[in-house]
Amino acid sequence: MIFRQLFDRESSTFTYLIGDAPSGEAALIDPVVGNVDRDLRLVDELGLRLVAVFDTHVHADHVTGAGSLRERTGAKTHFSARGGPACADVLLEDESIVFVGGLGVRAVATPGHTDSCMSYVVGDRVFTGDALLVRGCGRTDFQEGDSRTLWQSVQKSLFTLPDATYVCPAHDYGGYTCSTIGEEKRLNPRLGAPMTCDGFVELMGKLQLPPPAKMSESVPANKACGKRT
Amino acid sequence: MIFRQLFDRESSTFTYLIGDAPSGEAALIDPVVGNVDRDLRLVDELGLRLVAVFDTHVHADHVTGAGSLRERTGAKTHFSARGGPACADVLLEDESIVFVGGLGVRAVATPGHTDSCMSYVVGDRVFTGDALLVRGCGRTDFQEGDSRTLWQSVQKSLFTLPDATYVCPAHDYGGYTCSTIGEEKRLNPRLGAPMTCDGFVELMGKLQLPPPAKMSESVPANKACGKRT
């Protein structure tokens, strides 16, 4: 498996390139529209062919590159069937599996930050979007956010993965690039032991965060797969 | 081998944590003084003990955390013997090997960006400092910089490593996090095929870059292992 982590400085978003060397097929997870040229150049330089784009959710802080990548390469766009945009080529259910060459991409529904949140398990990695960040998690105060739902998603669908699984988050704001499930179970101050569901709900209810700077433009654009409506 | 890439947003510096799971010994490569608390917390969270700090060179754009980490943990600080600061615990020659638990860290002299530039090979990774960046390289117009020397370092000491070796640079400004030797041999516009030494010298001579913002304070501080003189 070819694996590359890419970073968008403006929104602190991680984009991931995964590639299957034998077939030359590749996918991008959470591409940002402003970085589509960079990402396609890298796909090409590595001798790969983009066949799929996966979004972990309908983002509120940046516009997805999915629609642009589909136009330019014919890659199929993938979102969750629960709250994902109708413009997606493939709407995924919990436990859907999509193949990128020989790489199985297993969709795991992890709602709570938004209804549309889907994590993707590929080999020994899980791409968690905003459901689980390094020592943190996405907020739950807009876009169908629900703390109790997020708690249950993480405990049931992510913390049951093997401890050695690498956590590849959609963002980081403190200079971390990855973690593991074992680490987050032990060390995540919001979702790890000894936190409880009620404690998490109370903590998230007190955050009082300002709205994301680009929310009013990002959400409508992402509901159109990243193309302006 | 435990491996973590960390990022300093202000200077776009990558710091690397490497750890030997059986012994619990760990090292930091190119720590930044402002991130020492974060880096030590991660070492501790992973159940590791910091025994060594390696700097790839005397930096001009940020202050090393080496001296602070030595004070707080007793870790030994490592620099190149060629141009490295006398305050370092260990001054390394080309092909010196230092063990971090069972992990061999092989020093490979790669001068040219500065005289003190040392790359470190650990397993299938090479930590290249500013000698080789993703599709680029460090500048050669100050601090003993010499384009011809850098060309020779990269061709002789880095491009002779196996193509699959992961390149872990000291910086990135475009959202990349790693590359491979094979990629840079093919695709680096400054140092890869079909560039020549003379072409590289000419290209570097024309860059006309402004001095790094923090050079006047960083270089003296780094010559004192990151402690103010």
mmCIF file of all heavy atoms in Angstrom, chain A residues 68-112:
data_model
loop_
_atom_site.group_PDB
_atom_site.id
_atom_site.type_symbol
_atom_site.label_atom_id
_atom_site.label_comp_id
_atom_site.label_asym_id
_atom_site.label_seq_id
_atom_site.Cartn_x
_atom_site.Cartn_y
_atom_site.Cartn_z
ATOM 1 N N SER A 68 -14.368 18.473 -8.206
ATOM 2 C CA SER A 68 -13.341 18.872 -9.165
ATOM 3 C C SER A 68 -12.525 17.667 -9.630
ATOM 4 O O SER A 68 -12.235 17.507 -10.818
ATOM 5 C CB SER A 68 -12.439 19.926 -8.508
ATOM 6 O OG SER A 68 -11.358 20.229 -9.337
ATOM 7 N N LEU A 69 -12.173 16.792 -8.688
ATOM 8 C CA LEU A 69 -11.395 15.596 -9.039
ATOM 9 C C LEU A 69 -12.205 14.666 -9.937
ATOM 10 O O LEU A 69 -11.665 14.062 -10.870
ATOM 11 C CB LEU A 69 -10.959 14.868 -7.755
ATOM 12 C CG LEU A 69 -9.861 15.592 -6.965
ATOM 13 C CD1 LEU A 69 -9.794 15.071 -5.528
ATOM 14 C CD2 LEU A 69 -8.503 15.441 -7.651
ATOM 15 N N ARG A 70 -13.509 14.552 -9.661
ATOM 16 C CA ARG A 70 -14.359 13.716 -10.515
ATOM 17 C C ARG A 70 -14.373 14.266 -11.942
ATOM 18 O O ARG A 70 -14.242 13.513 -12.906
ATOM 19 C CB ARG A 70 -15.778 13.670 -9.946
ATOM 20 C CG ARG A 70 -16.775 13.005 -10.882
ATOM 21 C CD ARG A 70 -18.091 12.708 -10.192
ATOM 22 N NE ARG A 70 -18.747 13.914 -9.703
ATOM 23 C CZ ARG A 70 -19.863 13.919 -8.981
ATOM 24 N NH1 ARG A 70 -20.452 12.778 -8.656
ATOM 25 N NH2 ARG A 70 -20.417 15.038 -8.572
ATOM 26 N N GLU A 71 -14.540 15.582 -12.053
ATOM 27 C CA GLU A 71 -14.559 16.198 -13.386
ATOM 28 C C GLU A 71 -13.260 15.961 -14.144
ATOM 29 O O GLU A 71 -13.262 15.722 -15.347
ATOM 30 C CB GLU A 71 -14.747 17.717 -13.247
ATOM 31 C CG GLU A 71 -16.183 18.152 -13.188
ATOM 32 C CD GLU A 71 -16.296 19.677 -13.189
ATOM 33 O OE1 GLU A 71 -15.293 20.393 -13.416
ATOM 34 O OE2 GLU A 71 -17.412 20.134 -12.932
ATOM 35 N N ARG A 72 -12.161 16.042 -13.430
ATOM 36 C CA ARG A 72 -10.867 16.003 -14.115
ATOM 37 C C ARG A 72 -10.361 14.592 -14.365
ATOM 38 O O ARG A 72 -9.504 14.392 -15.241
ATOM 39 C CB ARG A 72 -9.836 16.809 -13.318
ATOM 40 C CG ARG A 72 -10.180 18.290 -13.357
ATOM 41 C CD ARG A 72 -9.255 19.134 -12.520
ATOM 42 N NE ARG A 72 -7.853 19.028 -12.933
ATOM 43 C CZ ARG A 72 -6.885 19.758 -12.368
ATOM 44 N NH1 ARG A 72 -7.183 20.632 -11.421
ATOM 45 N NH2 ARG A 72 -5.642 19.615 -12.773
ATOM 46 N N THR A 73 -10.838 13.611 -13.598
ATOM 47 C CA THR A 73 -10.262 12.254 -13.726
ATOM 48 C C THR A 73 -11.305 11.160 -13.933
ATOM 49 O O THR A 73 -10.940 10.036 -14.270
ATOM 50 C CB THR A 73 -9.479 11.871 -12.452
ATOM 51 O OG1 THR A 73 -10.418 11.725 -11.369
ATOM 52 C CG2 THR A 73 -8.435 12.924 -12.097
ATOM 53 N N GLY A 74 -12.564 11.466 -13.665
ATOM 54 C CA GLY A 74 -13.582 10.413 -13.701
ATOM 55 C C GLY A 74 -13.639 9.585 -12.437
ATOM 56 O O GLY A 74 -14.400 8.610 -12.358
ATOM 57 N N ALA A 75 -12.831 9.945 -11.417
ATOM 58 C CA ALA A 75 -12.864 9.202 -10.145
ATOM 59 C C ALA A 75 -14.260 9.262 -9.533
ATOM 60 O O ALA A 75 -14.946 10.285 -9.635
ATOM 61 C CB ALA A 75 -11.846 9.804 -9.173
ATOM 62 N N LYS A 76 -14.665 8.177 -8.905
ATOM 63 C CA LYS A 76 -15.981 8.133 -8.270
ATOM 64 C C LYS A 76 -15.911 8.759 -6.881
ATOM 65 O O LYS A 76 -14.983 8.496 -6.117
ATOM 66 C CB LYS A 76 -16.472 6.685 -8.176
ATOM 67 C CG LYS A 76 -16.768 6.087 -9.544
ATOM 68 C CD LYS A 76 -17.789 4.971 -9.443
ATOM 69 C CE LYS A 76 -18.066 4.337 -10.797
ATOM 70 N NZ LYS A 76 -18.437 5.324 -11.851
ATOM 71 N N THR A 77 -16.917 9.568 -6.549
ATOM 72 C CA THR A 77 -16.950 10.237 -5.241
ATOM 73 C C THR A 77 -17.805 9.434 -4.274
ATOM 74 O O THR A 77 -18.872 8.921 -4.633
ATOM 75 C CB THR A 77 -17.509 11.663 -5.378
ATOM 76 O OG1 THR A 77 -18.821 11.582 -5.954
ATOM 77 C CG2 THR A 77 -16.624 12.509 -6.288
ATOM 78 N N HIS A 78 -17.315 9.311 -3.042
ATOM 79 C CA HIS A 78 -17.957 8.477 -2.020
ATOM 80 C C HIS A 78 -18.256 9.304 -0.775
ATOM 81 O O HIS A 78 -17.361 9.978 -0.243
ATOM 82 C CB HIS A 78 -17.038 7.324 -1.609
ATOM 83 C CG HIS A 78 -16.697 6.384 -2.726
ATOM 84 N ND1 HIS A 78 -15.823 6.722 -3.741
ATOM 85 C CD2 HIS A 78 -17.098 5.105 -2.969
ATOM 86 C CE1 HIS A 78 -15.719 5.694 -4.581
ATOM 87 N NE2 HIS A 78 -16.468 4.708 -4.139
ATOM 88 N N PHE A 79 -19.486 9.216 -0.311
ATOM 89 C CA PHE A 79 -19.909 9.843 0.942
ATOM 90 C C PHE A 79 -20.796 8.840 1.685
ATOM 91 O O PHE A 79 -21.261 7.856 1.113
ATOM 92 C CB PHE A 79 -20.759 11.097 0.667
ATOM 93 C CG PHE A 79 -20.004 12.350 0.353
ATOM 94 C CD1 PHE A 79 -19.570 12.608 -0.945
ATOM 95 C CD2 PHE A 79 -19.747 13.300 1.337
ATOM 96 C CE1 PHE A 79 -18.896 13.787 -1.247
ATOM 97 C CE2 PHE A 79 -19.084 14.486 1.040
ATOM 98 C CZ PHE A 79 -18.651 14.726 -0.253
ATOM 99 N N SER A 80 -21.069 9.152 2.921
ATOM 100 C CA SER A 80 -22.047 8.367 3.672
ATOM 101 C C SER A 80 -23.447 8.555 3.089
ATOM 102 O O SER A 80 -23.819 9.666 2.692
ATOM 103 C CB SER A 80 -22.047 8.835 5.130
ATOM 104 O OG SER A 80 -23.143 8.273 5.814
ATOM 105 N N ALA A 81 -24.221 7.473 3.084
ATOM 106 C CA ALA A 81 -25.627 7.571 2.667
ATOM 107 C C ALA A 81 -26.443 8.370 3.683
ATOM 108 O O ALA A 81 -27.472 8.941 3.347
ATOM 109 C CB ALA A 81 -26.219 6.166 2.508
ATOM 110 N N ARG A 82 -25.939 8.416 4.903
ATOM 111 C CA ARG A 82 -26.645 9.130 5.970
ATOM 112 C C ARG A 82 -26.162 10.584 6.000
ATOM 113 O O ARG A 82 -25.104 10.883 6.553
ATOM 114 C CB ARG A 82 -26.353 8.451 7.310
ATOM 115 C CG ARG A 82 -26.948 9.131 8.510
ATOM 116 C CD ARG A 82 -26.692 8.303 9.767
ATOM 117 N NE ARG A 82 -27.084 9.020 10.974
ATOM 118 C CZ ARG A 82 -26.989 8.549 12.197
ATOM 119 N NH1 ARG A 82 -26.522 7.314 12.393
ATOM 120 N NH2 ARG A 82 -27.345 9.265 13.239
ATOM 121 N N GLY A 83 -26.883 11.444 5.323
ATOM 122 C CA GLY A 83 -26.522 12.867 5.354
ATOM 123 C C GLY A 83 -25.526 13.270 4.295
ATOM 124 O O GLY A 83 -25.176 14.444 4.185
ATOM 125 N N GLY A 84 -25.045 12.329 3.505
ATOM 126 C CA GLY A 84 -24.123 12.683 2.418
ATOM 127 C C GLY A 84 -24.886 13.293 1.255
ATOM 128 O O GLY A 84 -26.109 13.133 1.145
ATOM 129 N N PRO A 85 -24.200 13.999 0.369
ATOM 130 C CA PRO A 85 -24.877 14.706 -0.718
ATOM 131 C C PRO A 85 -25.335 13.776 -1.837
ATOM 132 O O PRO A 85 -24.636 12.820 -2.178
ATOM 133 C CB PRO A 85 -23.806 15.682 -1.222
ATOM 134 C CG PRO A 85 -22.510 15.045 -0.874
ATOM 135 C CD PRO A 85 -22.740 14.245 0.382
ATOM 136 N N ALA A 86 -26.483 14.085 -2.411
ATOM 137 C CA ALA A 86 -27.055 13.243 -3.474
ATOM 138 C C ALA A 86 -26.176 13.217 -4.709
ATOM 139 O O ALA A 86 -26.264 12.291 -5.522
ATOM 140 C CB ALA A 86 -28.459 13.748 -3.831
ATOM 141 N N CYS A 87 -25.321 14.224 -4.862
ATOM 142 C CA CYS A 87 -24.449 14.290 -6.043
ATOM 143 C C CYS A 87 -23.333 13.251 -6.011
ATOM 144 O O CYS A 87 -22.635 13.059 -7.014
ATOM 145 C CB CYS A 87 -23.831 15.674 -6.155
ATOM 146 S SG CYS A 87 -23.005 16.196 -4.638
ATOM 147 N N ALA A 88 -23.132 12.580 -4.871
ATOM 148 C CA ALA A 88 -22.053 11.586 -4.793
ATOM 149 C C ALA A 88 -22.358 10.411 -5.722
ATOM 150 O O ALA A 88 -23.518 10.029 -5.892
ATOM 151 C CB ALA A 88 -21.893 11.094 -3.359
ATOM 152 N N ASP A 89 -21.324 9.823 -6.288
ATOM 153 C CA ASP A 89 -21.510 8.650 -7.154
ATOM 154 C C ASP A 89 -21.901 7.435 -6.338
ATOM 155 O O ASP A 89 -22.671 6.592 -6.794
ATOM 156 C CB ASP A 89 -20.202 8.330 -7.892
ATOM 157 C CG ASP A 89 -19.797 9.430 -8.833
ATOM 158 O OD1 ASP A 89 -20.540 9.648 -9.804
ATOM 159 O OD2 ASP A 89 -18.778 10.090 -8.578
ATOM 160 N N VAL A 90 -21.324 7.332 -5.137
ATOM 161 C CA VAL A 90 -21.576 6.161 -4.294
ATOM 162 C C VAL A 90 -21.935 6.647 -2.898
ATOM 163 O O VAL A 90 -21.179 7.402 -2.286
ATOM 164 C CB VAL A 90 -20.326 5.245 -4.219
ATOM 165 C CG1 VAL A 90 -20.639 3.977 -3.418
ATOM 166 C CG2 VAL A 90 -19.809 4.891 -5.611
ATOM 167 N N LEU A 91 -23.084 6.229 -2.406
ATOM 168 C CA LEU A 91 -23.499 6.564 -1.033
ATOM 169 C C LEU A 91 -23.337 5.305 -0.201
ATOM 170 O O LEU A 91 -23.955 4.267 -0.476
ATOM 171 C CB LEU A 91 -24.933 7.093 -1.022
ATOM 172 C CG LEU A 91 -25.054 8.494 -1.640
ATOM 173 C CD1 LEU A 91 -26.518 8.868 -1.872
ATOM 174 C CD2 LEU A 91 -24.381 9.549 -0.751
ATOM 175 N N LEU A 92 -22.496 5.385 0.798
ATOM 176 C CA LEU A 92 -22.051 4.199 1.535
ATOM 177 C C LEU A 92 -22.867 3.961 2.786
ATOM 178 O O LEU A 92 -23.222 4.894 3.513
ATOM 179 C CB LEU A 92 -20.581 4.391 1.947
ATOM 180 C CG LEU A 92 -19.591 4.576 0.800
ATOM 181 C CD1 LEU A 92 -18.291 5.185 1.324
ATOM 182 C CD2 LEU A 92 -19.324 3.248 0.118
ATOM 183 N N GLU A 93 -23.120 2.704 3.061
ATOM 184 C CA GLU A 93 -23.723 2.280 4.325
ATOM 185 C C GLU A 93 -22.615 1.841 5.275
ATOM 186 O O GLU A 93 -21.488 1.567 4.838
ATOM 187 C CB GLU A 93 -24.680 1.103 4.090
ATOM 188 C CG GLU A 93 -25.785 1.371 3.084
ATOM 189 C CD GLU A 93 -26.820 2.357 3.590
ATOM 190 O OE1 GLU A 93 -26.913 2.560 4.828
ATOM 191 O OE2 GLU A 93 -27.537 2.935 2.754
ATOM 192 N N ASP A 94 -22.956 1.753 6.558
ATOM 193 C CA ASP A 94 -22.027 1.174 7.529
ATOM 194 C C ASP A 94 -21.613 -0.224 7.050
ATOM 195 O O ASP A 94 -22.465 -1.020 6.652
ATOM 196 C CB ASP A 94 -22.740 1.082 8.891
ATOM 197 C CG ASP A 94 -21.814 0.616 10.007
ATOM 198 O OD1 ASP A 94 -20.623 0.959 9.970
ATOM 199 O OD2 ASP A 94 -22.306 -0.076 10.918
ATOM 200 N N GLU A 95 -20.329 -0.477 7.062
ATOM 201 C CA GLU A 95 -19.740 -1.768 6.655
ATOM 202 C C GLU A 95 -19.721 -2.003 5.142
ATOM 203 O O GLU A 95 -19.396 -3.108 4.695
ATOM 204 C CB GLU A 95 -20.412 -2.949 7.370
ATOM 205 C CG GLU A 95 -20.207 -2.953 8.883
ATOM 206 C CD GLU A 95 -18.742 -3.115 9.316
ATOM 207 O OE1 GLU A 95 -17.973 -3.754 8.576
ATOM 208 O OE2 GLU A 95 -18.382 -2.585 10.378
ATOM 209 N N SER A 96 -20.013 -0.962 4.345
ATOM 210 C CA SER A 96 -19.758 -1.075 2.898
ATOM 211 C C SER A 96 -18.262 -1.263 2.675
ATOM 212 O O SER A 96 -17.441 -0.709 3.413
ATOM 213 C CB SER A 96 -20.162 0.224 2.176
ATOM 214 O OG SER A 96 -21.536 0.477 2.245
ATOM 215 N N ILE A 97 -17.912 -2.024 1.676
ATOM 216 C CA ILE A 97 -16.498 -2.153 1.306
ATOM 217 C C ILE A 97 -16.331 -1.753 -0.157
ATOM 218 O O ILE A 97 -17.105 -2.173 -1.022
ATOM 219 C CB ILE A 97 -15.978 -3.587 1.537
ATOM 220 C CG1 ILE A 97 -15.982 -3.891 3.045
ATOM 221 C CG2 ILE A 97 -14.565 -3.765 0.959
ATOM 222 C CD1 ILE A 97 -15.464 -5.251 3.432
ATOM 223 N N VAL A 98 -15.350 -0.900 -0.405
ATOM 224 C CA VAL A 98 -15.030 -0.450 -1.759
ATOM 225 C C VAL A 98 -13.600 -0.881 -2.049
ATOM 226 O O VAL A 98 -12.727 -0.729 -1.187
ATOM 227 C CB VAL A 98 -15.125 1.093 -1.851
ATOM 228 C CG1 VAL A 98 -14.727 1.582 -3.242
ATOM 229 C CG2 VAL A 98 -16.534 1.572 -1.488
ATOM 230 N N PHE A 99 -13.336 -1.401 -3.223
ATOM 231 C CA PHE A 99 -11.970 -1.793 -3.563
ATOM 232 C C PHE A 99 -11.284 -0.742 -4.439
ATOM 233 O O PHE A 99 -11.860 -0.264 -5.409
ATOM 234 C CB PHE A 99 -11.958 -3.169 -4.252
ATOM 235 C CG PHE A 99 -12.083 -4.281 -3.245
ATOM 236 C CD1 PHE A 99 -13.338 -4.740 -2.846
ATOM 237 C CD2 PHE A 99 -10.950 -4.824 -2.652
ATOM 238 C CE1 PHE A 99 -13.456 -5.738 -1.880
ATOM 239 C CE2 PHE A 99 -11.066 -5.813 -1.694
ATOM 240 C CZ PHE A 99 -12.317 -6.277 -1.306
ATOM 241 N N VAL A 100 -10.079 -0.410 -4.044
ATOM 242 C CA VAL A 100 -9.193 0.450 -4.836
ATOM 243 C C VAL A 100 -8.063 -0.482 -5.261
ATOM 244 O O VAL A 100 -7.164 -0.785 -4.472
ATOM 245 C CB VAL A 100 -8.671 1.625 -3.989
ATOM 246 C CG1 VAL A 100 -7.681 2.465 -4.787
ATOM 247 C CG2 VAL A 100 -9.833 2.480 -3.484
ATOM 248 N N GLY A 101 -8.136 -0.989 -6.481
ATOM 249 C CA GLY A 101 -7.253 -2.094 -6.851
ATOM 250 C C GLY A 101 -7.487 -3.218 -5.858
ATOM 251 O O GLY A 101 -8.629 -3.609 -5.593
ATOM 252 N N GLY A 102 -6.427 -3.695 -5.257
ATOM 253 C CA GLY A 102 -6.556 -4.774 -4.271
ATOM 254 C C GLY A 102 -6.775 -4.287 -2.852
ATOM 255 O O GLY A 102 -6.848 -5.117 -1.929
ATOM 256 N N LEU A 103 -6.876 -2.993 -2.655
ATOM 257 C CA LEU A 103 -7.039 -2.450 -1.294
ATOM 258 C C LEU A 103 -8.516 -2.366 -0.930
ATOM 259 O O LEU A 103 -9.285 -1.666 -1.610
ATOM 260 C CB LEU A 103 -6.477 -1.020 -1.198
ATOM 261 C CG LEU A 103 -4.980 -0.785 -1.284
ATOM 262 C CD1 LEU A 103 -4.706 0.723 -1.243
ATOM 263 C CD2 LEU A 103 -4.266 -1.478 -0.126
ATOM 264 N N GLY A 104 -8.903 -3.024 0.130
ATOM 265 C CA GLY A 104 -10.281 -2.911 0.611
ATOM 266 C C GLY A 104 -10.419 -1.702 1.520
ATOM 267 O O GLY A 104 -9.667 -1.558 2.479
ATOM 268 N N VAL A 105 -11.377 -0.855 1.200
ATOM 269 C CA VAL A 105 -11.666 0.322 2.032
ATOM 270 C C VAL A 105 -13.005 0.049 2.716
ATOM 271 O O VAL A 105 -14.039 0.007 2.061
ATOM 272 C CB VAL A 105 -11.747 1.608 1.177
ATOM 273 C CG1 VAL A 105 -12.098 2.811 2.046
ATOM 274 C CG2 VAL A 105 -10.442 1.836 0.418
ATOM 275 N N ARG A 106 -12.951 -0.177 4.025
ATOM 276 C CA ARG A 106 -14.166 -0.535 4.760
ATOM 277 C C ARG A 106 -14.744 0.717 5.418
ATOM 278 O O ARG A 106 -14.060 1.395 6.179
ATOM 279 C CB ARG A 106 -13.845 -1.580 5.829
ATOM 280 C CG ARG A 106 -15.062 -2.011 6.655
ATOM 281 C CD ARG A 106 -14.809 -3.324 7.376
ATOM 282 N NE ARG A 106 -13.826 -3.222 8.426
ATOM 283 C CZ ARG A 106 -14.075 -2.901 9.699
ATOM 284 N NH1 ARG A 106 -15.327 -2.665 10.089
ATOM 285 N NH2 ARG A 106 -13.102 -2.842 10.584
ATOM 286 N N ALA A 107 -15.987 1.033 5.077
ATOM 287 C CA ALA A 107 -16.659 2.201 5.643
ATOM 288 C C ALA A 107 -17.261 1.839 6.996
ATOM 289 O O ALA A 107 -17.899 0.792 7.134
ATOM 290 C CB ALA A 107 -17.758 2.665 4.692
ATOM 291 N N VAL A 108 -17.021 2.687 7.974
ATOM 292 C CA VAL A 108 -17.538 2.459 9.330
ATOM 293 C C VAL A 108 -18.269 3.735 9.747
ATOM 294 O O VAL A 108 -17.639 4.793 9.891
ATOM 295 C CB VAL A 108 -16.375 2.175 10.311
ATOM 296 C CG1 VAL A 108 -16.915 1.958 11.714
ATOM 297 C CG2 VAL A 108 -15.553 0.976 9.860
ATOM 298 N N ALA A 109 -19.566 3.637 9.913
ATOM 299 C CA ALA A 109 -20.351 4.829 10.266
ATOM 300 C C ALA A 109 -19.963 5.307 11.661
ATOM 301 O O ALA A 109 -19.991 4.527 12.619
ATOM 302 C CB ALA A 109 -21.841 4.514 10.196
ATOM 303 N N THR A 110 -19.589 6.592 11.754
ATOM 304 C CA THR A 110 -19.209 7.169 13.046
ATOM 305 C C THR A 110 -19.881 8.539 13.219
ATOM 306 O O THR A 110 -19.203 9.553 13.386
ATOM 307 C CB THR A 110 -17.668 7.294 13.162
ATOM 308 O OG1 THR A 110 -17.146 7.906 11.971
ATOM 309 C CG2 THR A 110 -17.016 5.944 13.363
ATOM 310 N N PRO A 111 -21.220 8.572 13.188
ATOM 311 C CA PRO A 111 -21.922 9.861 13.323
ATOM 312 C C PRO A 111 -21.740 10.464 14.714
ATOM 313 O O PRO A 111 -21.373 9.767 15.654
ATOM 314 C CB PRO A 111 -23.383 9.474 13.069
ATOM 315 C CG PRO A 111 -23.472 8.045 13.480
ATOM 316 C CD PRO A 111 -22.148 7.442 13.086
ATOM 317 N N GLY A 112 -22.047 11.762 14.803
ATOM 318 C CA GLY A 112 -21.962 12.450 16.083
ATOM 319 C C GLY A 112 -21.426 13.860 15.915
ATOM 320 O O GLY A 112 -21.984 14.825 16.402
#
